[in-house]
Amino acid sequence: MLSHFSRELILRPWYWQTLRTKTNRRNYSVSATESPPYRWQKPVGQHTGITVYNNGMRRKIPLVVRNPNMVTWYTCGPTVYDAAHLGHASTYVKVDIIQRILRDYFKFNLVTAMNITDVDDKIIRKARESGCDWLGMARSYEAEFRQDMLRLNVQPPDIRTHVSSNMPAILQFIEELIGKSQAYVTEDNSVYFDVSTYPHYGKLQRLGGMSSEEKSNLFKQNSADFALWKAKKEADEPSWAAPWGGEGRPGWHIECSAIAGLFFGSQLDFHAGGLDLRFPHHENEEAQCCVRYETDQWVNYWMHTGQLHAAGDENKMSKSLGNAISIAEMLRTYTADEFRMACLLSNYRNAMPYSEQLMLTARQTLQRFKNFQADLSAYTQFLKPIRKLDEGALKAQMAHMATEFDNSLRDDFDTARGISVLIDQMTSISRCINEQQADAVEEPAYCLDLLTAAGNFINRAMLTFGISKLAETEQSLSLKTPLPVVGGGGLDPALLIADVLAMRVKLRRAAISGHQKNIQLLAACDELRNLLEQHGIQIRDHKQGSSWVYATPAAIASEGSSSSRSK
């Protein structure tokens, strides 16, 4: 519904006529010298002890939440005109990681929202070329996008909506800008935002220049003005009636501003998207909302993820450039956890050069965590010889790990540093439980509780990042693959594997118990190991028996290749 103010204006034809451009077109460029440089304004609220990078300030700034009981987050959603690719995947996985940290580690009540752009020039063009209905095509690609996000373990937003479903809110937003003389109606019934009336335009980028939308357009008053509403030009274009006359559809930038404003109002804690959206998209969003809500700062914290590109190619991954790798294609070679680990090892703000080497590093790092949990489980189940450790030193190490891990996440969500802290702790513990050393002299204790606590901390940290449970044994595997047996009940795969390994241990002991090793029996044990590995069960032999860990065949092969190179 239109406002009372809007209906009054519609009844006055002279009003729209006076707002149509009748001036000469003038150039306008962003320059830091034209107005005092904008400085970020710290919100009033609860200090969190977290710092977040601010591009306009070129430094990290303190995270202050306005309401400790609710933190708001808006993410620019996809334009659904084609299948999503790894460039999209890296943005949404990195955003998901930060949201999980805020929600699950720092315990904020995070409210997230996302739009789906289903009205756009690219969608119209693709539907026209394909000879199909634009909305049906958009819904089909949206369903594919949602499925891709589920496969990547990206948590869905709390609120999700479509541009086509929110036209009244968009029209209301544009009307208010026209009423404030911050936007003008052109002769073809399009509407443009007047950049020259907003003194802080360019504050996010801090660069001179003009919008990428600059084209030869005689309707514009300023060369950097951007479209809020595009008048209908072709009969097959989706369009809606506009109160200022004619039909048309919204411009790209107004969509997010109107929808985010509908959800969260006059101020937003976080707004996220890829680095390529910072200018002009986010710059234009900020300008529109600051004018509408009469504020100097609409978004308190802009989060921009670095672009993914193929190693050796400086261009971002893009369908238009023909260098895109689909999510489905990547998942045929690597797992969602391996791709997520690659994102964790890269600072969220940095460019991410995608390559086989990057993914192999991520795979080996992930397997290192799984192997640690398997070794620790074997030690606490007495499959390895236990010994007395230095309890005081182990307590100090755990305290250091917890502190440094916390510091890394508070420092602009530095997950790469956090992973390094966890690896250092795993290395230290692995040295204690795998190397045959004498009992500790100082504060000797078996420390099984401390070791288990360290393992729990590391496992919870990885779950916080969105990595699947590291030790996929026993109950988790049983629930995943319950098998029927004759006579009712079910077969527990974990118990079956344990029985197979127990029998293999007996065969190995028999093979080496005599004066001469039984080579054929040992070969049979090796063949059984290889057979289990083909099904993703990696065997780890210890003094008192064997344990196993789930690993993909590719990860097992990668670890074996790495071990061979290190010898």
Side-chain angles (χ1 to χ4, degrees):
M1 297 292 293
L2 300 177
S3 65
H4 174 74
F5 170 73
S6 303
R7 289 194 297 271
E8 288 293 316
L9 293 181
I10 293 172
L11 295 175
R12 303 175 187 174
W14 57 266
Y15 173 78
W16 299 114
Q17 198 65 29
T18 59
L19 291 175
R20 298 181 190 277
T21 175
K22 294 182 179 296
T23 60
N24 293 327
R25 183 171 181 264
R26 60 188 184 275
N27 289 326
Y28 177 85
S29 62
V30 181
S31 172
T33 61
E34 293 182 0
S35 61
Y38 176 82
R39 294 186 64 83
W40 173 78
Q41 299 174 5
K42 185 166 65 174
V44 176
Q46 177 178 300
H47 287 255
T48 64
I50 303 169
T51 59
V52 179
Y53 184 78
N54 180 285
N55 184 72
M57 300 291 288
R58 297 290 194 271
R59 61 178 174 83
K60 296 171 187 176
I61 55 177
L63 173 59
V64 179
V65 294
R66 296 170 297 138
N67 181 353
N69 298 315
M70 180 186 71
V71 176
T72 56
W73 183 300
Y74 181 84
T75 302
C76 289
T79 301
V80 284
Y81 73 99
D82 208 336
H85 56 69
L86 290 191
H88 303 123
S90 67
T91 290
Y92 293 116
V93 169
K94 288 178 179 180
V95 167
D96 181 68
I97 290 169
I98 297 174
Q99 289 180 345
R100 286 172 181 267
I101 291 171
L102 288 170
R103 183 185 293 114
D104 300 332
Y105 184 80
F106 291 117
K107 305 302 181 184
F108 289 114
N109 182 10
L110 195 65
V111 179
T112 60
M114 175 189 288
N115 75 306
I116 301 293
T117 299
D118 58 355
V119 182
D120 182 80
D121 293 345
K122 294 177 181 177
I123 295 173
I124 298 168
R125 189 181 308 117
K126 180 73 174 284
R128 190 176 290 156
E129 293 170 353
S130 305
C132 58
D133 172 65
W134 66 273
L135 187 57
M137 185 194 75
R139 291 292 180 268
S140 176
Y141 282 124
E142 179 192 350
E144 185 177 335
F145 169 78
R146 291 194 187 197
Q147 186 61 34
D148 283 338
M149 294 301 103
L150 288 175
R151 295 170 72 189
L152 292 171
N153 197 25
V154 172
Q155 294 179 327
D158 297 318
I159 310 170
R160 179 163 42 197
T161 190
H162 304 85
V163 171
S164 62
S165 302
N166 289 274
M167 214 53 64
I170 294 172
L171 289 168
Q172 176 71 28
F173 197 124
I174 296 173
E175 285 184 277
E176 291 188 28
L177 294 182
I178 294 173
K180 294 175 182 291
S181 298
Q182 300 282 350
Y184 54 91
V185 185
T186 63
E187 293 179 7
D188 69 341
N189 288 318
S190 295
V191 181
Y192 286 86
F193 183 87
D194 188 351
V195 170
S196 67
T197 63
Y198 180 61
H200 298 307
Y201 190 75
K203 68 182 181 183
L204 301 186
Q205 188 75 356
R206 283 188 61 184
L207 291 176
M210 291 175 284
S211 167
S212 63
E213 290 188 316
E214 296 170 40
K215 295 179 181 178
S216 178
N217 187 331
L218 298 178
F219 292 135
K220 286 186 179 184
Q221 290 182 350
N222 311 303
S223 57
D225 292 352
F226 54 88
L228 302 176
W229 188 260
K230 297 181 178 182
K232 182 175 182 177
K233 293 183 174 59
E234 302 291 339
D236 63 345
E237 293 179 9
S239 61
W240 290 260
W244 46 86
E247 295 184 356
R249 64 182 185 275
W252 178 31
H253 313 303
I254 194 67
E255 298 170 354
C256 286
S257 293
I259 291 173
L262 179 66
F263 292 156
F264 300 121
S266 61
Q267 197 165 44
L268 183 57
D269 292 317
F270 287 94
H271 192 317
L275 184 63
D276 55 326
L277 299 185
R278 186 165 65 203
F279 189 88
H281 184 50
H282 288 166
E283 190 72 59
N284 293 348
E285 279 191 70
E286 176 77 6
Q288 293 165 157
C289 288
C290 284
V291 167
R292 183 192 190 188
Y293 299 119
E294 299 181 356
T295 180
D296 289 332
Q297 185 168 287
W298 175 52
V299 174
N300 289 331
Y301 301 94
W302 289 95
M303 307 296 293
H304 294 112
T305 61
Q307 296 170 342
L308 181 142
H309 60 90
D313 185 352
E314 294 183 358
N315 295 313
K316 72 169 185 175
M317 191 168 287
S318 168
K319 301 186 193 82
S320 60
L321 296 175
N323 61 358
I325 300 172
S326 72
I327 294 172
E329 182 180 352
M330 182 274 292
L331 289 176
R332 284 194 288 270
T333 305
Y334 305 102
T335 68
D337 278 347
E338 288 167 349
F339 183 76
R340 184 171 289 258
M341 179 58 75
C343 294
L344 287 165
L345 295 173
S346 168
N347 184 291
Y348 78 90
R349 290 187 284 111
N350 294 345
M352 185 173 168
Y354 182 81
S355 66
E356 181 181 1
Q357 184 56 52
L358 170 70
M359 294 306 297
L360 288 178
T361 299
R363 171 177 287 167
Q364 291 165 1
T365 303
L366 181 61
Q367 195 59 41
R368 189 171 180 179
F369 278 87
K370 291 182 177 180
N371 291 345
F372 168 76
Q373 291 292 343
D375 280 349
L376 182 59
S377 178
Y379 187 83
T380 56
Q381 293 176 34
F382 308 103
L383 296 176
K384 294 172 176 285
I386 65 170
R387 67 185 187 87
K388 292 183 177 181
L389 308 176
D390 187 332
E391 185 176 23
L394 189 54
K395 285 181 177 178
Q397 286 181 13
M398 285 186 59
H400 178 76
M401 171 185 66
T403 299
E404 286 303 304
F405 184 77
D406 184 76
N407 289 341
S408 69
L409 298 191
R410 290 182 183 278
D411 184 13
D412 196 26
F413 314 107
D414 191 346
T415 57
R417 178 180 160 200
I419 293 290
S420 178
V421 169
L422 299 179
I423 288 177
D424 286 345
Q425 181 67 76
M426 291 192 306
T427 300
S428 177
I429 292 177
S430 294
R431 191 179 300 116
C432 292
I433 65 179
N434 288 324
E435 295 180 4
Q436 300 303 310
Q437 300 177 358
D439 288 344
V441 176
E442 297 184 12
E443 300 186 58
Y446 289 113
C447 299
L448 294 176
D449 52 350
L450 290 175
L451 294 173
T452 301
N456 289 345
F457 184 97
I458 292 169
N459 194 48
R460 282 197 301 271
M462 300 303 283
L463 289 173
T464 295
F465 290 152
I467 297 291
S468 303
K469 192 172 179 63
L470 295 174
E472 192 169 23
T473 61
E474 310 244 349
Q475 184 180 7
S476 61
L477 189 61
S478 300
L479 293 173
K480 183 182 294 186
T481 55
L483 302 175
V485 295
V486 177
L491 177 65
D492 187 336
L495 293 178
L496 175 61
I497 295 170
D499 288 342
V500 171
L501 293 189
M503 179 57 67
R504 179 176 173 274
V505 169
K506 290 181 180 180
L507 294 176
R508 280 178 56 84
R509 287 175 179 170
I512 61 177
S513 61
H515 295 292
Q516 188 173 358
K517 291 182 179 179
N518 188 326
I519 302 301
Q520 290 181 328
L521 202 52
L522 288 174
C525 291
D526 290 340
E527 186 176 350
L528 178 58
R529 169 200 286 273
N530 295 335
L531 182 62
L532 289 171
E533 287 184 348
Q534 291 176 22
H535 294 279
I537 306 299
Q538 186 178 30
I539 309 304
R540 307 177 72 79
D541 292 319
H542 313 291
K543 284 279 187 181
Q544 277 85 18
S546 298
S547 63
W548 65 278
V549 60
Y550 176 79
T552 63
I556 294 172
S558 175
E559 185 179 7
S561 175
S562 177
S563 299
S564 299
R565 288 194 300 268
S566 64
K567 290 180 180 178

PDB file of all heavy atoms in Angstrom, residues 321-348:
ATOM      1  N   LEU A 321      33.179 -14.150 -17.786  1.00  0.00           N
ATOM      2  CA  LEU A 321      34.569 -14.288 -18.237  1.00  0.00           C
ATOM      3  C   LEU A 321      34.879 -15.700 -18.708  1.00  0.00           C
ATOM      4  O   LEU A 321      35.961 -15.967 -19.225  1.00  0.00           O
ATOM      5  CB  LEU A 321      35.537 -13.899 -17.110  1.00  0.00           C
ATOM      6  CG  LEU A 321      35.471 -12.439 -16.651  1.00  0.00           C
ATOM      7  CD1 LEU A 321      36.386 -12.223 -15.450  1.00  0.00           C
ATOM      8  CD2 LEU A 321      35.856 -11.498 -17.787  1.00  0.00           C
ATOM      9  N   GLY A 322      33.949 -16.620 -18.506  1.00  0.00           N
ATOM     10  CA  GLY A 322      34.140 -17.989 -18.974  1.00  0.00           C
ATOM     11  C   GLY A 322      35.146 -18.793 -18.170  1.00  0.00           C
ATOM     12  O   GLY A 322      35.674 -19.797 -18.664  1.00  0.00           O
ATOM     13  N   ASN A 323      35.434 -18.373 -16.933  1.00  0.00           N
ATOM     14  CA  ASN A 323      36.425 -19.085 -16.114  1.00  0.00           C
ATOM     15  C   ASN A 323      35.808 -19.691 -14.856  1.00  0.00           C
ATOM     16  O   ASN A 323      36.497 -19.934 -13.865  1.00  0.00           O
ATOM     17  CB  ASN A 323      37.572 -18.146 -15.730  1.00  0.00           C
ATOM     18  CG  ASN A 323      37.101 -16.952 -14.910  1.00  0.00           C
ATOM     19  OD1 ASN A 323      35.916 -16.802 -14.647  1.00  0.00           O
ATOM     20  ND2 ASN A 323      38.030 -16.100 -14.507  1.00  0.00           N
ATOM     21  N   ALA A 324      34.494 -19.909 -14.885  1.00  0.00           N
ATOM     22  CA  ALA A 324      33.777 -20.383 -13.693  1.00  0.00           C
ATOM     23  C   ALA A 324      33.844 -21.904 -13.569  1.00  0.00           C
ATOM     24  O   ALA A 324      33.778 -22.624 -14.563  1.00  0.00           O
ATOM     25  CB  ALA A 324      32.328 -19.922 -13.729  1.00  0.00           C
ATOM     26  N   ILE A 325      33.979 -22.364 -12.327  1.00  0.00           N
ATOM     27  CA  ILE A 325      33.890 -23.787 -11.986  1.00  0.00           C
ATOM     28  C   ILE A 325      32.650 -23.954 -11.131  1.00  0.00           C
ATOM     29  O   ILE A 325      32.500 -23.279 -10.112  1.00  0.00           O
ATOM     30  CB  ILE A 325      35.137 -24.251 -11.219  1.00  0.00           C
ATOM     31  CG1 ILE A 325      36.405 -24.042 -12.049  1.00  0.00           C
ATOM     32  CG2 ILE A 325      35.011 -25.721 -10.814  1.00  0.00           C
ATOM     33  CD1 ILE A 325      37.694 -24.303 -11.287  1.00  0.00           C
ATOM     34  N   SER A 326      31.750 -24.826 -11.539  1.00  0.00           N
ATOM     35  CA  SER A 326      30.507 -24.989 -10.796  1.00  0.00           C
ATOM     36  C   SER A 326      30.756 -25.685  -9.464  1.00  0.00           C
ATOM     37  O   SER A 326      31.755 -26.396  -9.291  1.00  0.00           O
ATOM     38  CB  SER A 326      29.492 -25.782 -11.619  1.00  0.00           C
ATOM     39  OG  SER A 326      29.874 -27.140 -11.705  1.00  0.00           O
ATOM     40  N   ILE A 327      29.843 -25.484  -8.536  1.00  0.00           N
ATOM     41  CA  ILE A 327      29.943 -26.130  -7.230  1.00  0.00           C
ATOM     42  C   ILE A 327      29.843 -27.638  -7.382  1.00  0.00           C
ATOM     43  O   ILE A 327      30.585 -28.392  -6.745  1.00  0.00           O
ATOM     44  CB  ILE A 327      28.843 -25.591  -6.298  1.00  0.00           C
ATOM     45  CG1 ILE A 327      29.093 -24.095  -6.009  1.00  0.00           C
ATOM     46  CG2 ILE A 327      28.791 -26.374  -4.984  1.00  0.00           C
ATOM     47  CD1 ILE A 327      27.968 -23.410  -5.269  1.00  0.00           C
ATOM     48  N   ALA A 328      28.937 -28.093  -8.247  1.00  0.00           N
ATOM     49  CA  ALA A 328      28.779 -29.531  -8.480  1.00  0.00           C
ATOM     50  C   ALA A 328      30.062 -30.145  -9.025  1.00  0.00           C
ATOM     51  O   ALA A 328      30.458 -31.253  -8.640  1.00  0.00           O
ATOM     52  CB  ALA A 328      27.617 -29.779  -9.440  1.00  0.00           C
ATOM     53  N   GLU A 329      30.739 -29.420  -9.903  1.00  0.00           N
ATOM     54  CA  GLU A 329      31.991 -29.917 -10.475  1.00  0.00           C
ATOM     55  C   GLU A 329      33.067 -30.053  -9.397  1.00  0.00           C
ATOM     56  O   GLU A 329      33.804 -31.040  -9.352  1.00  0.00           O
ATOM     57  CB  GLU A 329      32.464 -28.969 -11.580  1.00  0.00           C
ATOM     58  CG  GLU A 329      33.727 -29.411 -12.293  1.00  0.00           C
ATOM     59  CD  GLU A 329      34.170 -28.446 -13.374  1.00  0.00           C
ATOM     60  OE1 GLU A 329      33.402 -27.493 -13.683  1.00  0.00           O
ATOM     61  OE2 GLU A 329      35.282 -28.612 -13.904  1.00  0.00           O
ATOM     62  N   MET A 330      33.174 -29.070  -8.515  1.00  0.00           N
ATOM     63  CA  MET A 330      34.159 -29.141  -7.434  1.00  0.00           C
ATOM     64  C   MET A 330      33.874 -30.311  -6.503  1.00  0.00           C
ATOM     65  O   MET A 330      34.780 -31.034  -6.089  1.00  0.00           O
ATOM     66  CB  MET A 330      34.163 -27.827  -6.665  1.00  0.00           C
ATOM     67  CG  MET A 330      35.190 -27.742  -5.537  1.00  0.00           C
ATOM     68  SD  MET A 330      34.613 -28.417  -3.948  1.00  0.00           S
ATOM     69  CE  MET A 330      33.343 -27.240  -3.507  1.00  0.00           C
ATOM     70  N   LEU A 331      32.586 -30.522  -6.190  1.00  0.00           N
ATOM     71  CA  LEU A 331      32.217 -31.561  -5.230  1.00  0.00           C
ATOM     72  C   LEU A 331      32.382 -32.970  -5.792  1.00  0.00           C
ATOM     73  O   LEU A 331      32.303 -33.939  -5.040  1.00  0.00           O
ATOM     74  CB  LEU A 331      30.777 -31.349  -4.762  1.00  0.00           C
ATOM     75  CG  LEU A 331      30.560 -30.143  -3.838  1.00  0.00           C
ATOM     76  CD1 LEU A 331      29.086 -29.966  -3.517  1.00  0.00           C
ATOM     77  CD2 LEU A 331      31.371 -30.276  -2.556  1.00  0.00           C
ATOM     78  N   ARG A 332      32.632 -33.076  -7.082  1.00  0.00           N
ATOM     79  CA  ARG A 332      32.947 -34.405  -7.632  1.00  0.00           C
ATOM     80  C   ARG A 332      34.367 -34.824  -7.290  1.00  0.00           C
ATOM     81  O   ARG A 332      34.699 -36.008  -7.346  1.00  0.00           O
ATOM     82  CB  ARG A 332      32.745 -34.398  -9.150  1.00  0.00           C
ATOM     83  CG  ARG A 332      31.287 -34.447  -9.584  1.00  0.00           C
ATOM     84  CD  ARG A 332      31.152 -34.784 -11.045  1.00  0.00           C
ATOM     85  NE  ARG A 332      31.548 -33.698 -11.911  1.00  0.00           N
ATOM     86  CZ  ARG A 332      30.723 -32.755 -12.364  1.00  0.00           C
ATOM     87  NH1 ARG A 332      29.438 -32.783 -12.029  1.00  0.00           N
ATOM     88  NH2 ARG A 332      31.160 -31.795 -13.155  1.00  0.00           N
ATOM     89  N   THR A 333      35.212 -33.853  -6.942  1.00  0.00           N
ATOM     90  CA  THR A 333      36.625 -34.142  -6.634  1.00  0.00           C
ATOM     91  C   THR A 333      36.938 -33.954  -5.157  1.00  0.00           C
ATOM     92  O   THR A 333      37.728 -34.718  -4.588  1.00  0.00           O
ATOM     93  CB  THR A 333      37.545 -33.225  -7.468  1.00  0.00           C
ATOM     94  OG1 THR A 333      37.220 -33.363  -8.856  1.00  0.00           O
ATOM     95  CG2 THR A 333      39.015 -33.585  -7.253  1.00  0.00           C
ATOM     96  N   TYR A 334      36.330 -32.954  -4.533  1.00  0.00           N
ATOM     97  CA  TYR A 334      36.625 -32.633  -3.140  1.00  0.00           C
ATOM     98  C   TYR A 334      35.323 -32.618  -2.330  1.00  0.00           C
ATOM     99  O   TYR A 334      34.239 -32.505  -2.886  1.00  0.00           O
ATOM    100  CB  TYR A 334      37.320 -31.271  -3.038  1.00  0.00           C
ATOM    101  CG  TYR A 334      38.561 -31.166  -3.884  1.00  0.00           C
ATOM    102  CD1 TYR A 334      38.549 -30.481  -5.100  1.00  0.00           C
ATOM    103  CD2 TYR A 334      39.745 -31.783  -3.490  1.00  0.00           C
ATOM    104  CE1 TYR A 334      39.699 -30.390  -5.884  1.00  0.00           C
ATOM    105  CE2 TYR A 334      40.892 -31.711  -4.274  1.00  0.00           C
ATOM    106  CZ  TYR A 334      40.855 -31.014  -5.468  1.00  0.00           C
ATOM    107  OH  TYR A 334      41.973 -30.947  -6.244  1.00  0.00           O
ATOM    108  N   THR A 335      35.465 -32.716  -1.024  1.00  0.00           N
ATOM    109  CA  THR A 335      34.289 -32.681  -0.152  1.00  0.00           C
ATOM    110  C   THR A 335      33.985 -31.249   0.261  1.00  0.00           C
ATOM    111  O   THR A 335      34.821 -30.343   0.141  1.00  0.00           O
ATOM    112  CB  THR A 335      34.518 -33.527   1.109  1.00  0.00           C
ATOM    113  OG1 THR A 335      35.532 -32.888   1.921  1.00  0.00           O
ATOM    114  CG2 THR A 335      34.966 -34.937   0.760  1.00  0.00           C
ATOM    115  N   ALA A 336      32.770 -31.045   0.780  1.00  0.00           N
ATOM    116  CA  ALA A 336      32.386 -29.726   1.286  1.00  0.00           C
ATOM    117  C   ALA A 336      33.293 -29.306   2.441  1.00  0.00           C
ATOM    118  O   ALA A 336      33.659 -28.133   2.562  1.00  0.00           O
ATOM    119  CB  ALA A 336      30.926 -29.741   1.728  1.00  0.00           C
ATOM    120  N   ASP A 337      33.681 -30.267   3.296  1.00  0.00           N
ATOM    121  CA  ASP A 337      34.574 -29.950   4.414  1.00  0.00           C
ATOM    122  C   ASP A 337      35.945 -29.508   3.916  1.00  0.00           C
ATOM    123  O   ASP A 337      36.583 -28.619   4.511  1.00  0.00           O
ATOM    124  CB  ASP A 337      34.727 -31.161   5.333  1.00  0.00           C
ATOM    125  CG  ASP A 337      33.582 -31.294   6.322  1.00  0.00           C
ATOM    126  OD1 ASP A 337      32.808 -30.334   6.461  1.00  0.00           O
ATOM    127  OD2 ASP A 337      33.458 -32.365   6.946  1.00  0.00           O
ATOM    128  N   GLU A 338      36.430 -30.120   2.849  1.00  0.00           N
ATOM    129  CA  GLU A 338      37.740 -29.740   2.306  1.00  0.00           C
ATOM    130  C   GLU A 338      37.691 -28.328   1.728  1.00  0.00           C
ATOM    131  O   GLU A 338      38.633 -27.541   1.916  1.00  0.00           O
ATOM    132  CB  GLU A 338      38.170 -30.759   1.254  1.00  0.00           C
ATOM    133  CG  GLU A 338      38.574 -32.097   1.862  1.00  0.00           C
ATOM    134  CD  GLU A 338      38.707 -33.216   0.852  1.00  0.00           C
ATOM    135  OE1 GLU A 338      38.293 -33.044  -0.319  1.00  0.00           O
ATOM    136  OE2 GLU A 338      39.227 -34.293   1.225  1.00  0.00           O
ATOM    137  N   PHE A 339      36.606 -27.987   1.037  1.00  0.00           N
ATOM    138  CA  PHE A 339      36.482 -26.621   0.516  1.00  0.00           C
ATOM    139  C   PHE A 339      36.367 -25.622   1.668  1.00  0.00           C
ATOM    140  O   PHE A 339      36.963 -24.542   1.628  1.00  0.00           O
ATOM    141  CB  PHE A 339      35.266 -26.510  -0.398  1.00  0.00           C
ATOM    142  CG  PHE A 339      35.122 -25.156  -1.030  1.00  0.00           C
ATOM    143  CD1 PHE A 339      35.926 -24.781  -2.092  1.00  0.00           C
ATOM    144  CD2 PHE A 339      34.191 -24.242  -0.549  1.00  0.00           C
ATOM    145  CE1 PHE A 339      35.812 -23.518  -2.667  1.00  0.00           C
ATOM    146  CE2 PHE A 339      34.066 -22.985  -1.124  1.00  0.00           C
ATOM    147  CZ  PHE A 339      34.876 -22.629  -2.190  1.00  0.00           C
ATOM    148  N   ARG A 340      35.619 -25.980   2.707  1.00  0.00           N
ATOM    149  CA  ARG A 340      35.491 -25.099   3.865  1.00  0.00           C
ATOM    150  C   ARG A 340      36.837 -24.900   4.549  1.00  0.00           C
ATOM    151  O   ARG A 340      37.163 -23.789   4.997  1.00  0.00           O
ATOM    152  CB  ARG A 340      34.455 -25.659   4.843  1.00  0.00           C
ATOM    153  CG  ARG A 340      34.167 -24.780   6.059  1.00  0.00           C
ATOM    154  CD  ARG A 340      32.991 -25.322   6.838  1.00  0.00           C
ATOM    155  NE  ARG A 340      31.748 -25.128   6.121  1.00  0.00           N
ATOM    156  CZ  ARG A 340      30.852 -24.175   6.396  1.00  0.00           C
ATOM    157  NH1 ARG A 340      31.066 -23.335   7.405  1.00  0.00           N
ATOM    158  NH2 ARG A 340      29.746 -24.074   5.704  1.00  0.00           N
ATOM    159  N   MET A 341      37.636 -25.966   4.637  1.00  0.00           N
ATOM    160  CA  MET A 341      38.959 -25.833   5.236  1.00  0.00           C
ATOM    161  C   MET A 341      39.825 -24.890   4.409  1.00  0.00           C
ATOM    162  O   MET A 341      40.592 -24.085   4.965  1.00  0.00           O
ATOM    163  CB  MET A 341      39.623 -27.204   5.359  1.00  0.00           C
ATOM    164  CG  MET A 341      41.032 -27.159   5.944  1.00  0.00           C
ATOM    165  SD  MET A 341      41.138 -26.406   7.599  1.00  0.00           S
ATOM    166  CE  MET A 341      40.447 -27.737   8.602  1.00  0.00           C
ATOM    167  N   ALA A 342      39.705 -24.953   3.082  1.00  0.00           N
ATOM    168  CA  ALA A 342      40.451 -24.021   2.232  1.00  0.00           C
ATOM    169  C   ALA A 342      40.059 -22.582   2.547  1.00  0.00           C
ATOM    170  O   ALA A 342      40.906 -21.682   2.587  1.00  0.00           O
ATOM    171  CB  ALA A 342      40.200 -24.336   0.761  1.00  0.00           C
ATOM    172  N   CYS A 343      38.771 -22.355   2.801  1.00  0.00           N
ATOM    173  CA  CYS A 343      38.300 -21.010   3.174  1.00  0.00           C
ATOM    174  C   CYS A 343      38.820 -20.609   4.554  1.00  0.00           C
ATOM    175  O   CYS A 343      39.179 -19.446   4.782  1.00  0.00           O
ATOM    176  CB  CYS A 343      36.784 -20.959   3.150  1.00  0.00           C
ATOM    177  SG  CYS A 343      36.044 -21.149   1.507  1.00  0.00           S
ATOM    178  N   LEU A 344      38.872 -21.555   5.482  1.00  0.00           N
ATOM    179  CA  LEU A 344      39.378 -21.276   6.827  1.00  0.00           C
ATOM    180  C   LEU A 344      40.854 -20.898   6.812  1.00  0.00           C
ATOM    181  O   LEU A 344      41.308 -20.077   7.618  1.00  0.00           O
ATOM    182  CB  LEU A 344      39.169 -22.491   7.733  1.00  0.00           C
ATOM    183  CG  LEU A 344      37.736 -22.780   8.172  1.00  0.00           C
ATOM    184  CD1 LEU A 344      37.634 -24.187   8.745  1.00  0.00           C
ATOM    185  CD2 LEU A 344      37.274 -21.760   9.204  1.00  0.00           C
ATOM    186  N   LEU A 345      41.607 -21.502   5.907  1.00  0.00           N
ATOM    187  CA  LEU A 345      43.042 -21.238   5.826  1.00  0.00           C
ATOM    188  C   LEU A 345      43.348 -19.928   5.119  1.00  0.00           C
ATOM    189  O   LEU A 345      44.504 -19.502   5.057  1.00  0.00           O
ATOM    190  CB  LEU A 345      43.749 -22.388   5.111  1.00  0.00           C
ATOM    191  CG  LEU A 345      43.722 -23.739   5.842  1.00  0.00           C
ATOM    192  CD1 LEU A 345      44.310 -24.836   4.957  1.00  0.00           C
ATOM    193  CD2 LEU A 345      44.482 -23.660   7.158  1.00  0.00           C
ATOM    194  N   SER A 346      42.323 -19.291   4.571  1.00  0.00           N
ATOM    195  CA  SER A 346      42.479 -18.012   3.882  1.00  0.00           C
ATOM    196  C   SER A 346      41.760 -16.933   4.674  1.00  0.00           C
ATOM    197  O   SER A 346      40.611 -17.116   5.067  1.00  0.00           O
ATOM    198  CB  SER A 346      41.884 -18.108   2.469  1.00  0.00           C
ATOM    199  OG  SER A 346      41.769 -16.839   1.875  1.00  0.00           O
ATOM    200  N   ASN A 347      42.410 -15.811   4.925  1.00  0.00           N
ATOM    201  CA  ASN A 347      41.723 -14.701   5.594  1.00  0.00           C
ATOM    202  C   ASN A 347      40.500 -14.308   4.775  1.00  0.00           C
ATOM    203  O   ASN A 347      40.578 -14.189   3.553  1.00  0.00           O
ATOM    204  CB  ASN A 347      42.670 -13.512   5.733  1.00  0.00           C
ATOM    205  CG  ASN A 347      42.058 -12.364   6.512  1.00  0.00           C
ATOM    206  OD1 ASN A 347      41.134 -11.707   6.046  1.00  0.00           O
ATOM    207  ND2 ASN A 347      42.557 -12.117   7.709  1.00  0.00           N
ATOM    208  N   TYR A 348      39.377 -14.114   5.432  1.00  0.00           N
ATOM    209  CA  TYR A 348      38.130 -13.881   4.693  1.00  0.00           C
ATOM    210  C   TYR A 348      38.201 -12.658   3.795  1.00  0.00           C
ATOM    211  O   TYR A 348      37.505 -12.561   2.772  1.00  0.00           O
ATOM    212  CB  TYR A 348      36.943 -13.762   5.665  1.00  0.00           C
ATOM    213  CG  TYR A 348      36.831 -12.419   6.359  1.00  0.00           C
ATOM    214  CD1 TYR A 348      36.093 -11.378   5.798  1.00  0.00           C
ATOM    215  CD2 TYR A 348      37.445 -12.183   7.584  1.00  0.00           C
ATOM    216  CE1 TYR A 348      35.976 -10.154   6.423  1.00  0.00           C
ATOM    217  CE2 TYR A 348      37.338 -10.965   8.225  1.00  0.00           C
ATOM    218  CZ  TYR A 348      36.600  -9.945   7.640  1.00  0.00           C
ATOM    219  OH  TYR A 348      36.500  -8.721   8.268  1.00  0.00           O
TER     220      TYR A 348
END
